[in-house]
Amino acid sequence: MDQHIAEAIGRPDLIRLDDRLVCLRFETMKVVSALAAVRHLLDTGVVRRGDTLLDSSSGIYAYALALACHRHGMRCHIVGSTTVDHTLRTQLAVLGATLEQMEPCSDLKLDQKRRVERIHEILAAHPEYHWMRQYHDDIHYLGYRAIADRVREATGADGLTVVGGVGSGASTGALARYLREGPDGRAPSDVELVGVQPYGSVTFGAEHVSDPEIIIAGIGSSIPFGNVAHELYDTLHWISFAAALAGSVDLLRRHAVFAGLSTGAAYLAARHERERAPERTALFIAADTGHRYVDTVFARHTEAAPLAALTPQDIQNQGELTLPWSRMHWNRTPTATAVGRASIDSGSASWRSTS
């Protein structure tokens, strides 16, 4: 029996949509990483019960950290994106978390930069607060080991392609790392990792191409993230808002899975990867439910293009990026950002390689 609702919320469902397509569905995915991170900080004495934990969030992590703080008797302070909606604001308030929300801004890149600047201002005034650094501290990998074990048990892992929004790098990076270890330390498993990005994200060099609609919050970045291990990724997909909308609508219509916009993008990419390699199983990550996207995505379901009309443009480099959907082999290539990521956060957990 679970001791707190956060533990139940963080436990995903594995749903086989067809013979070679599996959905790893979370109610709120980042609860997994937030719970494990806070527990690790308490166990190692970095923080104590009653301390204030601080971070920036576009929505999902704010709720996850508030739940983890509630579970462990901590205070929680969030610098929130303009995308934090009324429902989440209310939940945070009742859970006892405090929220500073950025003023409305049409540019989510600027919104993200302003949030980080505000974090530094708060730390200057309150050095006793602990900044969780969800983007840079690899303690956020820890919670995904149990998820990887469950995926391995259900799928066997060999011949598995994991597909998901890159975001902070923790979920896809951790799952790939743990799954590739192989069971019980035996030979590494054949696991490929496919990252999904929005146009405009700097993480894999797409900042020069903008989406006419919006940047899909949570799966891209306007600043380098220390938790993104570039050398873990085999393939990348850049997917526009319109294409992701079509994926989200099709996923609900065809499989009755009600999930967010990043899930629609991952579903689209996973279907394509499965078709290219029908001998492999494609597992895609559904990070949250679709409730936040009722008005912006699902109410526009009549606008959704049929998936048969959507095909990615295969490209050789980021200079060839084109809307609405581009695909590129990354071949586990490290980048300057990836190699130097440990220097971004001197508090990174020592168990993770920086090579």
Side-chain angles (χ1 to χ4, degrees):
M1 183 180 297
D2 294 316
Q3 301 302 308
H4 192 273
I5 185 64
E7 294 156 8
I9 290 174
R11 187 181 305 111
D13 303 307
L14 273 166
I15 306 166
R16 187 172 294 280
L17 303 186
D18 63 28
D19 186 46
R20 293 288 183 179
L21 186 64
V22 176
C23 177
L24 181 64
R25 178 196 174 274
F26 292 85
E27 181 175 339
T28 304
M29 181 183 69
K30 290 191 177 181
V31 171
V32 173
S33 55
L35 270 179
V38 173
R39 188 178 301 116
H40 178 78
L41 291 171
L42 285 166
D43 289 347
T44 55
V46 175
V47 300
R48 296 176 296 177
R49 288 176 64 89
D51 285 354
T52 297
L53 304 183
L54 167 72
D55 215 341
S56 162
S57 174
S58 60
I60 296 177
Y61 187 79
Y63 180 51
L65 185 59
L67 285 172
C69 287
H70 190 278
R71 167 71 175 86
H72 291 291
M74 315 291 289
R75 295 184 176 90
C76 178
H77 188 85
I78 298 293
V79 178
S81 167
T82 62
T83 59
V84 175
D85 61 19
H86 174 71
T87 299
L88 180 54
R89 289 196 300 271
T90 304
Q91 286 176 296
L92 293 176
V94 175
L95 284 169
T98 54
L99 170 70
E100 289 185 45
Q101 189 169 9
M102 294 291 99
E103 293 296 323
C105 175
S106 59
D107 185 348
L108 288 183
K109 295 181 185 179
L110 179 59
D111 174 76
Q112 192 171 57
K113 180 181 178 182
R114 288 162 56 196
R115 282 187 277 136
V116 174
E117 290 172 348
R118 178 57 185 148
I119 289 285
H120 286 289
E121 292 173 356
I122 294 170
L123 287 172
H126 297 279
E128 74 278 13
Y129 287 7
H130 181 83
W131 183 15
M132 291 299 295
R133 294 165 291 197
Q134 64 153 319
Y135 304 131
H136 305 307
D137 194 333
D138 54 11
I139 61 171
H140 292 91
Y141 272 49
L142 298 174
Y144 291 100
R145 182 177 286 281
I147 308 300
D149 290 343
R150 187 175 174 200
V151 168
R152 181 184 292 108
E153 181 180 351
T155 68
D158 264 335
L160 181 67
T161 300
V162 175
V163 183
V166 176
S168 69
S171 59
T172 49
L175 285 173
R177 188 184 295 278
Y178 294 140
L179 286 167
R180 285 172 181 166
E181 287 178 354
D184 304 320
R186 295 198 293 270
S189 299
D190 173 17
V191 176
E192 294 188 357
L193 180 59
V194 177
V196 179
Q197 284 272 275
Y199 291 91
S201 173
V202 306
T203 307
F204 287 92
E207 61 269 24
H208 60 291
V209 182
S210 61
D211 192 323
E213 290 255 16
I214 63 167
I215 294 176
I216 304 172
I219 68 170
S221 176
S222 63
I223 58 175
F225 284 169
N227 274 342
V228 178
H230 293 71
E231 68 275 15
L232 294 176
Y233 295 83
D234 296 282
T235 305
L236 294 172
H237 287 251
W238 288 269
I239 295 178
S240 71
F241 172 86
L245 181 150
S248 296
V249 170
D250 188 88
L251 181 60
L252 178 57
R253 180 178 289 137
R254 190 188 305 261
H255 298 290
V257 176
F258 184 49
L261 193 59
S262 66
T263 302
Y267 167 65
L268 199 62
R271 281 173 52 95
H272 182 78
E273 294 299 324
R274 191 269 313 268
E275 290 166 4
R276 292 180 73 110
E279 74 282 2
R280 301 182 66 84
T281 295
L283 177 145
F284 67 95
I285 299 171
D288 61 352
T289 66
H291 295 88
R292 291 197 299 160
Y293 306 93
V294 170
D295 294 330
T296 56
V297 174
F298 293 99
R300 299 172 59 180
H301 63 91
T302 57
E303 303 173 27
L307 295 200
L310 295 171
T311 304
Q313 178 72 39
D314 283 305
I315 62 174
Q316 300 301 313
N317 59 69
Q318 294 94 325
E320 299 175 356
L321 280 166
T322 182
L323 293 158
W325 183 5
S326 295
R327 178 184 182 273
M328 187 174 83
H329 290 295
W330 187 256
N331 299 321
R332 305 190 189 184
T333 305
T335 68
T337 300
V339 171
R341 66 184 176 274
S343 66
I344 296 175
D345 182 349
S346 60
S348 292
S350 60
W351 57 268
R352 179 169 161 209
S353 170
T354 58
S355 62

